[in-house]
Amino acid sequence: MEKQTITIYDVAREADVSMATVSRVVNGNPNVKPATRKKVLEVIDRLDYRPNAVARGLASKKTTTVGVIIPDVSDIYFASLARGIDDVATMYKYNIILANSDENNQKEVQVLNTLLAKQVDGLIYMGHSISDAIRAEFARSKTPIVLAGSIDPDEQVGSVNIDYVAAVKDATLKLIKNGNEKVAFICGNLEFPINSKYRLRGYKDALNEAGIPYDESLIFETEYSYSAGEALFGKVQAIGATAAVVSDDELAVGVLNAAVDAGVNIPTDFEIVTSNNTKLTEMVRPKMTSISQPLYDMGAVGMRLLTKMMNKEEIDDKTILLPYSIVDRQSTK
Amino acid sequence: MEKQTITIYDVAREADVSMATVSRVVNGNPNVKPATRKKVLEVIDRLDYRPNAVARGLASKKTTTVGVIIPDVSDIYFASLARGIDDVATMYKYNIILANSDENNQKEVQVLNTLLAKQVDGLIYMGHSISDAIRAEFARSKTPIVLAGSIDPDEQVGSVNIDYVAAVKDATLKLIKNGNEKVAFICGNLEFPINSKYRLRGYKDALNEAGIPYDESLIFETEYSYSAGEALFGKVQAIGATAAVVSDDELAVGVLNAAVDAGVNIPTDFEIVTSNNTKLTEMVRPKMTSISQPLYDMGAVGMRLLTKMMNKEEIDDKTILLPYSIVDRQSTK
DNA sequence: TTGAAAGCGCTAACAT
DNA sequence: ATGTTAGCGCTTTCAA
């Protein structure tokens, strides 16, 4: 025989009050006489009653759950953001439905729809680019959405990032000031606005400010992976570059190790600045100088922004830029 | 004016059928005349109807959602497991509610209860140890539970692991055969069964087989972190150890880098075998030899096991051991 | 093959 | 301060 689940009705009957009163007690409504509250709480304890969140969600139209779309949890960059998101979510009594998208446009849209079907109160999206398909879904959804560590030039939804133009400009300038005339720019897919409109812009701005002509052969577009970096270093060296700004840490480790393995001295013969300041930067030798994006904070602030949107609070600016810095280590002079 | 949400009732009215029929169409019930099905699908498409999963969950008592308790998403070990879990979950049409526990006993119990309140169909738990409190909750819950990459000697719930005793024994034996008489054993909290009852057991078995007496001063208990490893190497070296079996990759990287920074040649003067074969092992120099735990697969198999339990299928053995191997790299001779 | 109707467990007016 | 009563949007017998 199945053990019967205890409902609010059972508690009401045993405590000799109405369901409404039990509901009030459970939800901390002050309009309950202390004596009644005590009696109800005793019964709840005795019967070991646990409110059913699904029923509550249906009745109240709130699930206290937010959807999080992430390219890959096992990618340290996004996992760091996710950690910040979950901590703030917990703080505000929300839970997280986590869904991997693999940056696949079709999967993203599908995942978004199942998340909406599950009636999430809000949505956080992470990804290197916003496809037109997903942007269209964002537009027609009335569920609040925030992008974390992800750029959409449209600025239709909330977002939390750093100023990528300025960060890359600073990084490039540092390399130029160290005496490098040929600084390579190694990034991901240039179809992504974050790379073409922001990072590359910063790189060009730096050259411009230093009076160095832009040379397209110094731009290397590749995928974000350790092996891609390893494979790329030869070409970078062949073109005569003596330094590189790299958009991803794993990619940068690949470049760094390939250089070291090839007997190139870093930073004497070749300098590297990477972009995410994940713990990887401290685990490699030499340790890598990096732009420091406050990933955890970006997730946390993004989730905080989302709570405000879900609460329909006034938002002064839903496009948030967090401060960045450049952490000097041994891969630069 | 708020845009009215479309319900199954709207579809039924427009298609001139009953709600039951719409429900059948949506759920792929074959007992619907093709013509009717077509008519209903057209209306669904026209009205852009999306079933409300919360209402469905309340009515059917199934949420197609599973809870995942994880110590820390930003830890690559658990994130790798989580990725395997989510992929298989997606495959079987489940979503994942992800909750970080920080290995905090109190938080774990609380998180478990909110997950159960949300009526998850199943639960996957990850953690270095199973506290009595959480074990008690497991016992009284009738929701299926699986442990992934986590040991409970009780074997009350399902679990997926590798044979830690044998793996550590193999690793230790390799080091002994390479000529090391003093092999350090560097692990996490020895109060955790996985360390005391399994890994240390394997270590002792190896010594025993090789006829080397057990020396407690070679056992180093510490936390799992890069800095702990860095700090520890000096002591390990001072005691005269010439090799180490390490239970965690970040910890091992700390030991490795401290050794290299101290001018110790690896593997000539000191050998290391680590335990998780995460991508870190290939990013450091020298690359690290490691026990290879199939983390992704452990997550995937754990989730698959859970789907069977949720389906009330017959399970031949709910305690699963996956094969491991030792991947040779440059931190051993 | 289809429909009617009774819930699922809870919240939220509205009354009292 | 407390109770009554509709739903929330869907699934699932049971009948037809």
Side-chain angles (χ1 to χ4, degrees):
Chain A
M1 173 182 119
E2 277 286 311
K3 197 177 17 176
Q4 178 65 50
T5 41
I6 310 291
T7 74
I8 198 172
Y9 177 78
D10 299 313
V11 177
R13 181 171 32 73
E14 290 288 313
D16 202 27
V17 296
S18 72
M19 287 164 54
T21 298
V22 178
S23 178
R24 289 188 185 99
V25 170
V26 168
N27 294 296
N29 184 317
N31 290 354
V32 181
K33 199 161 53 173
T36 315
R37 177 185 308 280
K38 183 154 175 284
K39 184 173 60 175
V40 171
L41 285 174
E42 276 169 9
V43 174
I44 285 178
D45 194 48
R46 177 156 58 81
L47 300 187
D48 193 26
Y49 165 69
R50 295 152 179 231
N52 179 324
V54 173
R56 175 183 288 175
L58 182 58
S60 70
K61 305 198 166 232
K62 287 196 175 110
T63 55
T64 62
T65 302
V66 310
V68 175
I69 300 178
I70 191 170
D72 180 7
V73 241
S74 62
D75 178 325
I76 181 73
Y77 176 88
F78 293 112
S80 303
L81 286 162
R83 188 63 222 260
I85 292 168
D86 189 52
D87 280 359
V88 172
T90 302
M91 208 173 292
Y92 287 87
K93 313 280 185 204
Y94 285 93
N95 286 106
I96 288 295
I97 299 189
L98 206 279
N100 291 93
S101 71
D102 289 320
E103 303 253 23
N104 176 118
N105 294 349
Q106 208 177 327
K107 195 171 174 189
E108 272 176 4
V109 171
Q110 191 187 305
V111 146
L112 177 71
N113 281 315
T114 71
L115 255 20
L116 292 177
K118 296 220 166 167
Q119 312 299 115
V120 294
D121 296 335
L123 220 33
I124 294 197
Y125 177 93
M126 296 178 266
H128 293 302
S129 79
I130 316 288
S131 70
D132 289 338
I134 200 94
R135 187 181 294 113
E137 298 288 337
F138 287 173
R140 75 197 191 100
S141 152
K142 55 177 199 174
T143 304
I145 300 176
V146 168
L147 310 180
S150 312
I151 286 283
D152 183 17
D154 274 13
E155 300 195 359
Q156 290 307 293
V157 298
S159 71
V160 181
N161 288 289
I162 63 166
D163 183 341
Y164 291 104
V165 179
V168 172
K169 183 180 172 188
D170 283 1
T172 309
L173 238 25
K174 165 188 282 283
L175 259 12
I176 293 173
K177 283 181 185 146
N178 282 357
N180 298 285
E181 306 246 312
K182 289 193 161 199
V183 177
F185 176 72
I186 304 178
C187 68
N189 196 331
L190 277 168
E191 283 176 11
F192 299 169
I194 189 173
N195 290 322
S196 56
K197 296 199 179 174
Y198 294 71
R199 292 191 168 120
L200 187 53
R201 165 89 275 127
Y203 172 79
K204 287 180 176 172
D205 284 359
L207 292 185
N208 201 37
E209 192 167 311
I212 296 178
Y214 173 67
D215 175 359
E216 198 167 338
S217 63
L218 286 169
I219 308 302
F220 295 87
E221 181 180 1
T222 184
E223 65 168 40
Y224 286 167
S225 75
Y226 175 77
S227 52
E230 258 190 328
L232 202 62
F233 178 70
K235 294 185 201 163
V236 175
Q237 194 183 25
I239 205 81
T242 56
V245 175
V246 186
S247 300
D248 177 80
D249 286 357
E250 283 195 30
L251 182 60
V253 174
V255 173
L256 179 86
N257 281 346
V260 170
D261 291 352
V264 173
N265 187 294
I266 289 182
T268 317
D269 302 332
F270 196 88
E271 295 185 66
I272 298 178
V273 178
T274 184
S275 295
N276 302 335
N277 200 37
T278 56
K279 34 190 172 182
L280 273 183
T281 56
E282 304 226 284
M283 292 189 187
V284 293
R285 289 294 180 272
K287 297 178 186 176
M288 287 190 294
T289 294
S290 180
I291 295 168
S292 166
Q293 296 188 53
L295 297 176
Y296 178 93
D297 293 348
M298 286 161 64
V301 169
M303 183 65 210
R304 180 68 186 98
L305 173 60
L306 188 63
T307 63
K308 288 183 183 161
M309 294 169 73
M310 293 187 295
N311 265 347
K312 315 212 163 162
E313 292 175 28
E314 269 309 309
I315 316 276
D316 10 298
D317 191 353
K318 61 178 169 44
T319 300
I320 299 178
L321 290 183
L322 256 32
Y324 66 90
S325 63
I326 293 191
V327 180
D328 288 307
R329 299 204 183 84
Q330 289 95 49
S331 67
T332 51
K333 291 172 191 162
Chain B
M1 172 184 120
E2 279 284 311
K3 195 173 24 169
Q4 179 64 53
T5 42
I6 310 290
T7 73
I8 198 172
Y9 176 78
D10 299 313
V11 177
R13 183 171 30 73
E14 290 288 313
D16 200 27
V17 296
S18 71
M19 287 163 55
T21 299
V22 178
S23 177
R24 290 188 186 101
V25 170
V26 168
N27 294 297
N29 184 317
N31 290 355
V32 181
K33 201 162 53 173
T36 314
R37 176 184 309 278
K38 183 154 176 283
K39 185 172 59 175
V40 171
L41 286 174
E42 275 169 10
V43 175
I44 286 179
D45 194 48
R46 177 156 59 79
L47 300 187
D48 193 25
Y49 165 69
R50 296 151 180 233
N52 179 323
V54 173
R56 175 182 289 177
L58 182 58
S60 69
K61 307 202 164 228
K62 289 200 175 110
T63 55
T64 61
T65 302
V66 310
V68 175
I69 300 179
I70 190 170
D72 180 5
V73 240
S74 62
D75 179 324
I76 181 73
Y77 176 86
F78 293 113
S80 303
L81 286 163
R83 188 62 222 260
I85 292 168
D86 189 52
D87 280 358
V88 172
T90 301
M91 207 172 294
Y92 286 87
K93 311 282 185 204
Y94 284 93
N95 285 106
I96 287 294
I97 300 189
L98 206 278
N100 291 93
S101 71
D102 288 321
E103 303 253 22
N104 176 119
N105 295 349
Q106 210 176 327
K107 196 171 174 190
E108 271 176 3
V109 171
Q110 191 186 305
V111 145
L112 177 70
N113 281 314
T114 72
L115 254 20
L116 292 177
K118 296 219 165 169
Q119 313 298 116
V120 294
D121 297 334
L123 219 35
I124 294 198
Y125 177 93
M126 295 179 266
H128 293 302
S129 79
I130 316 288
S131 71
D132 289 339
I134 200 93
R135 187 180 295 113
E137 297 288 338
F138 286 173
R140 76 196 192 102
S141 152
K142 55 177 201 176
T143 304
I145 299 176
V146 167
L147 309 180
S150 311
I151 286 284
D152 183 16
D154 274 15
E155 302 195 358
Q156 290 307 294
V157 298
S159 70
V160 180
N161 289 288
I162 63 166
D163 182 340
Y164 291 105
V165 178
V168 172
K169 182 179 172 188
D170 283 1
T172 309
L173 237 24
K174 165 188 282 286
L175 258 14
I176 292 174
K177 284 183 185 147
N178 283 358
N180 298 285
E181 306 244 312
K182 290 191 160 202
V183 178
F185 176 71
I186 304 178
C187 68
N189 195 330
L190 277 168
E191 284 176 9
F192 299 168
I194 189 174
N195 291 322
S196 55
K197 297 201 179 174
Y198 294 72
R199 291 190 169 120
L200 187 55
R201 166 88 276 128
Y203 172 80
K204 286 179 178 172
D205 284 358
L207 292 185
N208 201 37
E209 192 166 311
I212 296 177
Y214 174 66
D215 175 359
E216 198 169 337
S217 63
L218 286 169
I219 308 301
F220 295 87
E221 181 180 1
T222 184
E223 65 167 39
Y224 286 167
S225 76
Y226 175 76
S227 52
E230 259 189 326
L232 202 62
F233 178 71
K235 294 185 201 162
V236 176
Q237 195 182 25
I239 206 78
T242 56
V245 175
V246 187
S247 300
D248 179 79
D249 286 357
E250 284 195 30
L251 181 59
V253 175
V255 173
L256 179 85
N257 281 346
V260 170
D261 291 352
V264 173
N265 186 294
I266 290 181
T268 316
D269 302 332
F270 197 89
E271 296 184 67
I272 297 178
V273 178
T274 184
S275 294
N276 302 334
N277 201 36
T278 57
K279 34 190 173 183
L280 273 182
T281 55
E282 304 227 282
M283 292 188 186
V284 293
R285 290 295 180 272
K287 297 179 185 175
M288 286 190 295
T289 294
S290 180
I291 294 168
S292 166
Q293 296 188 54
L295 297 176
Y296 178 93
D297 293 348
M298 285 160 65
V301 170
M303 183 64 210
R304 181 66 186 100
L305 173 60
L306 187 63
T307 62
K308 288 181 184 165
M309 293 168 75
M310 293 187 296
N311 265 346
K312 315 209 163 165
E313 292 174 26
E314 270 309 310
I315 316 276
D316 10 297
D317 191 353
K318 62 178 171 40
T319 300
I320 299 178
L321 291 183
L322 257 31
Y324 65 89
S325 63
I326 293 191
V327 180
D328 288 306
R329 298 203 184 83
Q330 288 96 51
S331 67
T332 50
K333 289 170 192 164

